[in-house]
Amino acid sequence: MSYRVLLCCGAGMSSGFLAQRAQAAAKAKCPGMSISAKSQSVVEDVIEEYDILLLGPHYESHLDEFEEIAEPYHIPVAVIPQQIYGALNGDALVEFTLQTLRGQD
């Protein structure tokens, strides 16, 4: 199965590193998964190109806003747990993404 994952954060630095690590982990766990990191300022412009939107923990208070943006496209939105985000744990992010997507089926 192929999934297009969008990670959202402020400037994109931390999520960029996490996306790189998750992309490497996805090669083994879910080869069809592609993971991109973008600034929150462009989410509305690119959301329709993705299957799921994952927010950095610092955007948890904006979850409702991002869900509103994603809703017309039926795209799930989830906040990345701090322990995954803080450790830049690509393996755990892939697992979290798959679990979140399975919960949408």
Side-chain angles (χ1 to χ4, degrees):
M1 190 108 204
S2 72
Y3 297 112
R4 297 162 301 166
V5 181
L6 176 58
L7 302 185
C8 168
C9 77
M13 288 299 291
S14 296
S15 61
F17 290 128
L18 182 55
Q20 287 175 345
R21 291 185 179 183
Q23 189 64 61
K27 286 181 182 176
K29 291 181 185 246
C30 187
M33 184 180 284
S34 65
I35 302 157
S36 302
K38 305 242 184 237
S39 166
Q40 57 83 25
S41 63
V42 301
V43 168
E44 213 164 344
D45 298 330
V46 301
I47 187 86
E48 65 191 68
E49 300 169 20
Y50 294 90
D51 300 306
I52 186 170
L53 171 61
L54 300 178
L55 305 175
H58 47 289
Y59 279 105
E60 186 167 15
S61 63
H62 299 281
L63 179 60
D64 290 347
E65 296 166 40
F66 285 104
E67 286 176 332
E68 198 173 298
I69 292 168
E71 196 273 327
Y73 306 102
H74 308 289
I75 296 170
V77 180
V79 177
I80 302 166
Q82 179 60 45
Q83 63 270 27
I84 293 173
Y85 193 86
L88 300 177
N89 187 331
D91 287 322
L93 183 69
V94 170
E95 283 302 317
F96 175 75
T97 302
L98 292 172
Q99 287 173 0
T100 303
L101 287 166
R102 285 185 200 121
Q104 300 297 313
D105 293 341

